[in-house]
Amino acid sequence: MAAHKEKKSEERNHKNIQNDTQASQVQWGRAWEVDWFSLASILFLLMFAPLIVYYFIMSCDQYQCSLTDPLIDLLMRNKHLSDIWNKTPTLTYTAAGIYIIWVAFQVILYVFVPDFCHKFLPGYVGGVQEGAVTPAGVVNKYEINGLQAWIITHVLWFANAYYFHWFSPTIIFDNWIPLLWCANILGYVVSTFAMIKGYFFPTNAKDCKFTGNFFYDYMMGIEFNPRIGKWFDFKLFFNGRPGIVAWTLINLSYAAKQQELYGQVTNSMILVNVLQGIYVLDFFWNEAWYLKTIDICHDHFGWYLGWGDCVWLPYLYTLQGLYLVYHPVQLSTASAIGVLMLGLVGYYIFRMTNHQKDLFRRTNGNCRIWGKKPEYIECSYMSVDGTKYYSKLMTSGFWGWARHFNYTGDLMGSLAYCLTCGFEHVLPYFYIIYMTILLTHRCIRDEHRCFSKYGKDWKRYTTAVPYRLIPGVF
């Protein structure tokens, strides 16, 4: 879905709003009312998501990444829960120091170091950029400097590894479980603070949503764009830093540990570092584009993003590298090439699909997609202040094949990450299973919001582009 918004300030008369537009004004963004299934899902995640992360990491630490052996031990009474827990490394001062320095360093790079990369990197969009209009009609400004933060961080990492030797490159792996407790503390602290802030001193009260259900509001968030000061935006910071900047560092630490243990880095570990590194770099190269995605445009900031970005992302998105430390898979040349090609083709589809949407949005449809002028459906929606906006939903290029074809490319890349690990254990395949569920749910969630936002115009769009992910199938 591609959209270009043109503000019509003179169209503020509520008497002429159609019923479907009134619905969009109410429903745009997170739901106001909580159904029983949503509440049950949220309670399940709040209770079990932290346990899932712990179970996966503990399984690698104590059971060589087997997900079944811990259960068998418990069921056969070979071990008790207390035995497993007592073998789990605890929070240490070393880990706490590492994590505090890490987060503080990323805050400094985010808030106090204006972007300079856009001044000498052709095609890169950085510096101060505007986000999409919020439901309250606000257009926030952001300092886009994620690529710069990633470069500075990794230059310092490699400078230490090859010259300064302040710390071992395996420092992340060596403190992985103690760091998990630090990440959980930050995740819960920032989520709780965001909820309190939403109640007592929100950045923009009109962009807050209260359902009346404590658990739902804590999980999904109250404030749309909580900020401290002018530039510290919670959503942009925690979505990109510290988790995604750390992603590639974590993989590098795994590779260093593999070298330390076995005297070599396997081709599977290299593939994980390369393919996931491409994804991370793509994220930061297109950080300005990210301001128009569902995370920024629709999601409020709560535990789902706060804890998820601090804990779920860095610990479960890097399972392939962690697995390869314990099981150093050396792929055949043909298998390595096949996995690489799958990952690169998936990335190409992911990037080109998003590029088509961005080009269409930036030019208001005055461009060429696959050599032709793009086709689109015009639609409109209202913000809560009564201002009417217009959008164009593209039905050409990859966006004519499926409404979320960028997710299809993303899933191909996710599968490639997992295939680097072979087929001995199911643990590294959690990522593709999770991403399939996440992106399918996101499709449905996004389309529900779009229908609420655009009404009849959205029905016209889905008629023109009937498939979600796989043309002719789904």
Side-chain angles (χ1 to χ4, degrees):
M1 182 186 71
H4 178 82
K5 304 177 181 67
E6 179 182 354
K7 185 173 181 181
K8 300 291 186 180
S9 59
E10 69 274 10
E11 299 187 37
R12 297 177 181 269
N13 192 342
H14 289 272
K15 295 180 181 180
N16 295 326
I17 301 175
Q18 297 178 349
N19 289 336
D20 60 328
T21 309
Q22 287 178 330
S24 72
Q25 183 177 342
V26 173
Q27 295 295 330
W28 180 20
R30 185 170 55 79
W32 286 92
E33 297 181 357
V34 184
D35 58 73
W36 69 268
F37 180 77
S38 296
L39 179 59
S41 301
I42 281 164
L43 290 174
F44 175 84
L45 288 172
L46 285 170
M47 288 188 293
F48 291 105
L51 295 178
I52 290 171
V53 176
Y54 168 75
Y55 186 82
F56 276 66
I57 304 305
M58 176 277 298
S59 295
C60 283
D61 182 56
Q62 298 184 32
Y63 289 90
Q64 293 293 301
C65 297
S66 172
L67 293 179
T68 57
D69 285 354
L71 294 176
I72 292 172
D73 264 357
L74 292 172
L75 292 173
M76 298 297 293
R77 299 186 180 277
N78 296 326
K79 285 188 177 181
H80 296 92
L81 282 174
S82 59
D83 297 325
I84 294 175
W85 180 252
N86 290 335
K87 285 187 65 177
T88 302
T90 60
L91 176 64
T92 64
Y93 286 113
T94 299
I98 292 170
Y99 200 76
I100 290 170
I101 292 171
W102 167 250
V103 175
F105 182 59
Q106 293 306 312
V107 169
I108 291 170
L109 293 180
Y110 176 62
V111 177
F112 300 108
V113 186
D115 184 75
F116 57 80
C117 289
H118 69 281
K119 296 182 179 180
F120 63 85
L121 289 177
Y124 172 67
V125 179
V128 179
Q129 301 294 325
E130 290 187 346
V133 62
T134 72
V138 176
V139 178
N140 290 307
K141 291 186 177 181
Y142 299 83
E143 176 67 43
I144 300 300
N145 59 2
L147 180 64
Q148 173 178 284
W150 186 91
I151 292 172
I152 292 173
T153 301
H154 284 71
V155 166
L156 291 175
W157 174 273
F158 283 108
N160 169 76
Y162 290 100
Y163 182 74
F164 295 110
H165 306 295
W166 293 322
F167 54 84
S168 169
T170 65
I171 188 173
I172 299 175
F173 177 88
D174 294 337
N175 294 275
W176 197 221
I177 294 182
L179 288 170
L180 173 62
W181 310 133
C182 299
N184 270 283
I185 292 170
L186 177 62
Y188 277 97
V189 167
V190 73
S191 303
T192 304
F193 175 78
M195 188 173 192
I196 295 171
K197 183 178 183 300
Y199 273 103
F200 296 106
F201 47 101
T203 303
N204 189 319
K206 291 183 178 180
D207 269 327
C208 292
K209 283 191 176 182
F210 301 90
T211 66
N213 186 288
F214 172 83
F215 297 106
Y216 189 89
D217 287 346
Y218 183 73
M219 171 84 169
M220 301 307 295
I222 293 172
E223 275 202 86
F224 196 67
N225 290 107
R227 291 187 166 200
I228 294 179
K230 184 178 180 181
W231 294 114
F232 189 85
D233 184 272
F234 278 64
K235 254 200 292 192
L236 186 62
F237 177 79
F238 284 100
N239 274 340
R241 284 74 63 81
I244 296 184
V245 173
W247 190 342
T248 39
L249 291 184
I250 294 166
N251 282 339
L252 287 170
S253 186
Y254 291 158
K257 192 65 179 182
Q258 199 182 68
Q259 175 69 40
E260 178 185 285
L261 291 174
Y262 310 108
Q264 65 169 340
V265 177
T266 61
N267 58 4
S268 55
M269 179 69 84
I270 294 171
L271 279 172
V272 167
N273 274 264
V274 170
L275 291 175
Q276 294 187 350
I278 290 172
Y279 181 88
V280 169
L281 275 174
D282 177 88
F283 174 87
F284 286 119
W285 182 271
N286 296 284
E287 190 177 18
W289 161 85
Y290 183 69
L291 299 179
K292 313 294 184 180
T293 62
I294 186 173
D295 290 343
I296 300 295
C297 294
H298 291 285
D299 288 341
H300 289 238
F301 187 86
W303 185 87
Y304 174 75
L305 290 179
W307 180 88
D309 290 328
C310 289
V311 181
W312 188 272
L313 187 156
Y315 275 85
L316 295 190
Y317 285 24
T318 61
L319 281 175
Q320 292 77 35
L322 179 63
Y323 175 85
L324 291 171
V325 173
Y326 293 94
H327 301 272
V329 175
Q330 183 69 26
L331 298 171
S332 68
T333 302
S335 296
I337 292 174
V339 169
L340 178 63
M341 292 306 298
L342 176 64
L344 293 179
V345 170
Y347 170 73
Y348 173 81
I349 292 173
F350 170 79
R351 173 46 38 219
M352 289 307 299
T353 306
N354 287 326
H355 171 71
Q356 288 178 357
K357 178 175 67 174
D358 185 55
L359 177 64
F360 179 83
R361 179 191 291 125
R362 285 188 289 105
T363 62
N364 193 24
N366 296 315
C367 59
R368 300 188 77 81
I369 303 294
W370 290 351
K372 297 186 295 183
K373 187 173 178 61
E375 298 177 358
Y376 57 85
I377 291 174
E378 287 204 54
C379 54
S380 62
Y381 62 94
M382 301 288 293
S383 62
V384 294
D385 65 357
T387 303
K388 193 171 186 178
Y389 294 85
Y390 290 89
S391 295
K392 294 177 180 178
L393 307 181
M394 184 168 61
T395 59
S396 294
F398 284 124
W399 297 97
W401 288 13
R403 301 193 293 270
H404 306 273
F405 204 63
N406 55 333
Y407 291 168
T408 305
D410 205 354
L411 290 173
M412 293 171 64
S414 300
L415 178 60
Y417 306 159
C418 301
L419 289 172
T420 61
C421 299
F423 302 99
E424 186 177 348
H425 288 280
V426 71
L427 180 140
Y429 286 86
F430 171 81
Y431 186 71
I432 183 60
I433 296 170
Y434 164 74
M435 289 298 291
T436 300
I437 296 171
L438 173 72
L439 295 181
T440 302
H441 176 259
R442 180 168 285 192
C443 286
I444 297 170
R445 187 163 59 105
D446 186 32
E447 294 190 3
H448 173 73
R449 285 170 170 166
C450 288
F451 174 71
S452 299
K453 182 176 178 181
Y454 297 122
K456 295 177 181 178
D457 293 331
W458 182 253
K459 289 185 177 180
R460 291 167 52 216
Y461 174 66
T462 57
T463 300
V465 186
Y467 298 104
R468 286 190 172 111
L469 284 172
I470 305 173
V473 179
F474 174 73

